[in-house]
Amino acid sequence: MTETVHSFHIPVMGTSFTIESPVKVARYGIASVISLVDDSLVEKMRRFYCKLVGVEYSPIRKCDNDARAHRITAYLNLMDEIVKDQFEKLKLSAFEIGTEITKYFELLPETSPLKQLYRRMLAIGDAIEKKRVQEELREKIERGAIDVNIMTKVDGVHYDEHGVPLPSEFSDALAAFRGYAKSKLASSIVFSAGFNARLYGYVEHFMDFHADESGSIKKKIAIKVNDFRSALTQGKFFAKKGLWVSEYRVESGLNCGGHAFGHGGNLMGPSLEEFRQKKDELISTLFGLYNKARAQKNKETFSEPHEVRITAQGGIGTVNEQNFLLKHYKVDATGWGTPFLLVPEATTTDKVTLERLCAARREDLYLSDVSPLGVPFNSLRTSSSEVARDERIREGLFGNTCSKGYLRSNTEFTDQPLCVASRSYQEKKLAQILGTNGGSAALRNTIKENLAQKICLCRDLAGAAILSHGLEEDEGFPTTAICPGPNLAYFSKVLTLQQMVDHIYGRANVITDRTRPNMFMIELDMYIDYLEREINEALPHANAQKIKYFNEFKTSLIEGVAYYEQLIPQLTDETPEYRKRMASDLEKCRGKLQGMIARFPEFFCPEIAWHMEVASSEGIARNRLSS
């Protein structure tokens, strides 16, 4: 197992919030993830950093051949050079209060062998021996990875000047991937938002993703998943092409930032339990397929599988939650996203948005309908983007100028896709609504209201970096959209990197609200609300497929309640008062779920009584917990 110096990483957040995180934290051994969605922002950031570090900037224009890939390659290479330079300077700094190398070691967890060696060095009195250990420490430190993320479903086709589709390798996802593949980075690419066969098949063509004869992989594949089945399915696809998935990032579908996915009610705790029990089975199954595929391609086969990391992210907020994931579920690391939005030393957020994040209450954080993709989106009601959107609604204005087009997907009115947040689409849709005689007036009003909610995520998610660095020129300055998870409500002040890391490792506590529920209870409550939201959208009638979906979702939640009921006593690091409060929160969720089922009998199988399902679910929970 490859050792990393920290037991957490900073996941991708939006398109701009982690766009420069590597130059802020990588030299301290902390890994972070850059979004590759917005190559326009990437190019602006490259221009900014070239000027900052005194490197000649040669623009890559949008009209240039393969511009999206070249922009991404150039920016990632620049990030790599900057971080290398930072790290070399850090290694040469003196072991004195306030220096970079001292900060590196002070950030490490107390359980780290490097931290323990550092502590021993501080206690050494002999100058020669002290210097020897200091040199040993300098040689052993590692910088954090510059990882990247691709949303697999953001894969729009591009067209030439005659309206003819360009070859598939110029689609958004494949071009972004190629930009990373051709970079100098040795790190991981994180695929999120689902399966994309065209993209996954493209990976095979780049040698950096294949293991060399020694088993080393320069560029590793990581996949965000919600459950074990998805991990196995996607892992098999890559294995059959002779490619190894090095990490599965198990993420809560709802209790996280950005787009939210219900995933049929698959809760994080039960999913992690399955990974804990079946990790060896996963590796064994994939290793056989992988070696077979390599043999067919006349490549070296291996006697032992490569490393597989299971990590978890989504709503983690306390050291006890962090440690429980590491110890009980045996995950290799965790992802801390939303709280880092309050750490300017780690992420990028403009001043106004940072102030509004600090002031945000639980009711200010909600699952919105702002995304043009039609997927619920974690939002902040007080963001400048939503404030500006509400002002446009009051003025009767619809739609946004679509300058980037990454989320164009609707072909209802045109052959080439339009973004449903764009003015061109919304004008057409409004004309259709006003001109039709079909449907009720209430339905037409609902469609109209839903249209008005959409914001330009391409433009506004880049707003934080644009405003922070004054990057915009011709297009003017945007408003900022931001996508924190509900965990933000319990973090209410700007934090230093040291404070945030100390909180993660239990050396400090920056949460003052002792009533914060356990992360699993927050997620369970969100899933119950999500199911009710889905049901309300299906009213007054739902087809058989929907009813089947609702019942499967409900059953997953019932099983989850039973699972957590038996898990609570195992949270031995928590106080008896905490476990009692968690049990009370679980009982409230149970009652809420029962009440919802009772309100919508037409959508649930009446012949299946609650107590019968609970009895079955308790058996499932016992089996999950017994290993």
Side-chain angles (χ1 to χ4, degrees):
M1 178 74 67
T2 300
E3 293 293 332
T4 55
V5 296
H6 284 282
S7 59
F8 75 92
H9 60 264
I10 302 175
V12 67
M13 288 186 279
T15 56
S16 67
F17 307 112
T18 55
I19 189 71
E20 56 182 330
S21 289
V23 302
K24 296 185 174 191
V25 302
R27 65 186 180 275
Y28 304 121
I30 300 171
S32 59
V33 188
I34 293 174
S35 169
L36 300 186
V37 167
D38 190 346
D39 64 281
S40 174
L41 175 62
V42 161
E43 180 66 5
K44 287 181 171 69
M45 291 298 296
R46 184 172 72 89
R47 182 183 65 197
F48 172 79
Y49 270 101
C50 281
K51 183 178 180 180
L52 189 68
V53 300
V55 174
E56 182 181 356
Y57 169 71
S58 178
I60 301 172
R61 298 171 300 173
K62 192 171 184 177
C63 60
D64 291 346
N65 181 53
D66 205 16
R68 181 170 171 82
H70 289 319
R71 284 174 164 183
I72 289 168
T73 301
Y75 182 64
L76 296 179
N77 286 344
L78 178 62
M79 291 287 100
D80 191 47
E81 289 300 317
I82 292 172
V83 171
K84 280 181 179 177
D85 183 62
Q86 290 174 334
F87 190 62
E88 289 306 311
K89 289 177 179 176
L90 179 149
K91 289 175 72 175
L92 294 174
S93 62
F95 280 92
E96 298 172 356
I97 295 174
T99 64
E100 286 285 82
I101 198 164
T102 296
K103 184 174 182 178
Y104 183 103
F105 285 101
E106 290 297 331
L107 287 170
L108 293 177
E110 302 308 309
T111 55
S112 162
L114 271 179
K115 183 66 165 278
Q116 293 165 8
L117 181 60
Y118 169 73
R119 292 291 189 217
R120 289 201 297 272
M121 179 275 295
L122 293 177
I124 294 173
D126 181 76
I128 295 176
E129 176 62 10
K130 194 180 194 76
K131 186 172 180 59
R132 185 196 68 77
V133 178
Q134 286 177 350
E135 292 308 308
E136 182 182 351
L137 287 168
R138 293 183 204 277
E139 290 305 312
K140 286 186 173 181
I141 60 176
E142 301 282 347
R143 61 193 181 111
I146 305 174
D147 295 330
V148 302
N149 174 261
I150 286 181
M151 284 186 67
T152 59
K153 297 301 175 66
V154 180
D155 193 19
V157 174
H158 288 259
Y159 300 81
D160 65 18
E161 64 272 20
H162 304 295
V164 178
L166 294 174
S168 63
E169 61 264 30
F170 293 101
S171 73
D172 281 334
L174 272 67
F177 172 81
R178 184 166 60 254
Y180 171 69
K182 292 189 173 183
S183 74
K184 299 175 184 177
L185 292 180
S187 61
S188 296
I189 185 165
V190 183
F191 294 118
S192 64
F195 184 86
N196 181 334
R198 180 173 68 176
L199 172 62
Y200 286 4
Y202 191 54
V203 179
E204 184 181 3
H205 300 292
F206 296 87
M207 292 312 299
D208 279 358
F209 295 88
H210 292 267
D212 62 21
E213 292 184 357
S214 69
S216 176
I217 305 172
K218 182 177 181 180
K219 289 183 169 67
K220 297 180 179 180
I221 300 168
I223 304 174
K224 272 190 192 179
V225 294
N226 177 254
D227 58 25
F228 183 84
R229 183 175 62 177
S230 175
L232 182 61
T233 300
Q234 295 184 71
K236 282 182 176 180
F237 185 94
F238 282 113
K240 289 176 182 178
K241 294 184 177 298
L243 295 166
W244 190 252
V245 177
S246 298
E247 180 181 345
Y248 296 91
R249 295 196 167 181
V250 184
E251 182 178 61
S252 169
L254 299 182
N255 192 19
C256 56
H259 286 94
F261 301 91
H263 294 298
N266 289 317
L267 298 168
M268 193 173 182
S271 290
L272 286 171
E273 187 69 52
E274 191 167 11
F275 275 97
R276 181 171 77 112
Q277 295 189 26
K278 295 183 178 179
K279 181 178 178 180
D280 290 343
E281 176 189 329
L282 174 71
I283 294 172
S284 175
T285 300
L286 298 180
F287 184 56
L289 296 171
Y290 170 76
N291 255 347
K292 181 179 179 181
R294 285 185 63 92
Q296 291 172 344
K297 297 174 186 295
N298 297 316
K299 291 180 178 289
E300 185 84 13
T301 58
F302 301 97
S303 58
E304 297 290 337
H306 309 305
E307 173 192 36
V308 173
R309 286 166 56 84
I310 307 296
T311 61
Q313 58 195 51
I316 309 167
T318 69
V319 62
N320 285 349
E321 289 176 350
Q322 158 92 355
N323 289 340
F324 189 76
L325 294 171
L326 295 172
K327 294 175 184 178
H328 181 80
Y329 293 111
K330 310 297 183 186
V331 301
D332 297 289
T334 60
W336 285 65
T338 290
F340 271 101
L341 290 172
L342 301 181
V343 185
E345 288 181 70
T347 59
T348 303
T349 308
D350 62 277
K351 183 179 178 181
V352 171
T353 301
L354 187 58
E355 291 173 353
R356 293 178 182 180
L357 288 172
C358 290
R361 299 162 298 178
R362 183 64 186 89
E363 56 267 30
D364 296 322
L365 305 160
Y366 74 116
L367 277 184
S368 72
D369 292 313
V370 304
S371 174
L373 295 178
V375 177
F377 190 74
N378 281 285
S379 294
L380 175 67
R381 293 184 196 276
T382 58
S383 72
S384 59
S385 176
E386 296 211 26
V387 170
R389 186 273 319 276
D390 291 344
E391 181 62 28
R392 289 196 300 271
I393 292 174
R394 283 192 291 271
E395 294 175 0
L397 301 176
F398 283 80
N400 304 266
T401 301
C402 187
S403 58
K404 294 184 178 181
Y406 302 122
L407 302 184
R408 292 172 181 163
S409 61
N410 187 287
T411 55
E412 185 179 357
F413 301 109
T414 56
D415 292 332
Q416 292 188 20
L418 297 174
C419 175
V420 298
S422 69
R423 186 167 296 122
S424 54
Y425 171 82
Q426 293 200 4
E427 286 176 348
K428 292 177 175 61
K429 190 66 179 178
L430 284 169
Q432 181 193 68
I433 294 169
L434 296 174
T436 184
N437 292 320
S440 66
L443 178 60
R444 292 198 296 273
N445 283 333
T446 298
I447 296 172
K448 187 177 177 181
E449 289 171 4
N450 187 262
L451 269 183
Q453 293 296 312
K454 306 303 179 187
I455 63 175
C456 180
L457 287 184
C458 297
R459 176 181 166 87
D460 286 1
L461 279 177
I466 298 296
L467 293 168
S468 294
H469 299 310
L471 302 181
E472 203 70 17
E473 291 180 349
D474 298 335
E475 301 168 33
F477 287 99
T479 52
T480 299
I482 194 161
C483 47
N487 205 19
L488 179 73
Y490 304 99
F491 295 83
S492 57
K493 63 180 180 179
V494 176
L495 300 167
T496 66
L497 180 62
Q498 186 75 56
Q499 287 173 321
M500 188 68 242
V501 176
D502 284 350
H503 175 78
I504 291 171
Y505 292 140
R507 297 186 293 245
N509 178 22
V510 299
I511 295 177
T512 56
D513 185 354
R514 294 179 178 271
T515 65
R516 176 188 177 275
N518 178 273
M519 59 181 285
F520 291 146
M521 296 302 98
I522 294 173
E523 184 199 46
L524 175 59
D525 188 60
M526 293 180 72
Y527 267 93
I528 296 169
D529 287 343
Y530 183 92
L531 176 56
E532 183 157 3
R533 172 189 176 128
E534 293 269 283
I535 292 171
N536 282 323
E537 289 178 357
L539 292 173
H541 303 293
N543 58 34
Q545 184 178 4
K546 272 287 186 184
I547 291 175
K548 180 175 183 291
Y549 166 77
F550 293 150
N551 278 276
E552 290 173 349
F553 200 119
K554 172 204 66 176
T555 300
S556 292
L557 296 185
I558 292 172
E559 291 176 359
V561 169
Y563 172 81
Y564 288 134
E565 195 166 38
Q566 298 187 49
L567 184 72
I568 290 173
Q570 301 189 44
L571 276 67
T572 53
D573 287 345
E574 303 287 3
T575 65
E577 291 77 15
Y578 181 94
R579 293 195 295 274
K580 183 178 179 180
R581 190 169 69 247
M582 185 174 173
S584 175
D585 290 339
L586 181 61
E587 194 57 36
K588 290 175 184 175
C589 286
R590 188 201 307 271
K592 187 174 179 178
L593 180 56
Q594 288 175 322
M596 183 191 63
I597 292 170
R599 284 196 303 278
F600 301 105
E602 68 272 30
F603 291 137
F604 298 111
C605 300
E607 68 274 11
I608 303 178
W610 169 272
H611 70 273
M612 294 176 62
E613 294 201 41
V614 168
S616 173
S617 300
E618 286 176 345
I620 292 170
R622 279 194 294 273
N623 290 336
R624 281 175 167 162
L625 290 164
S626 62
S627 68

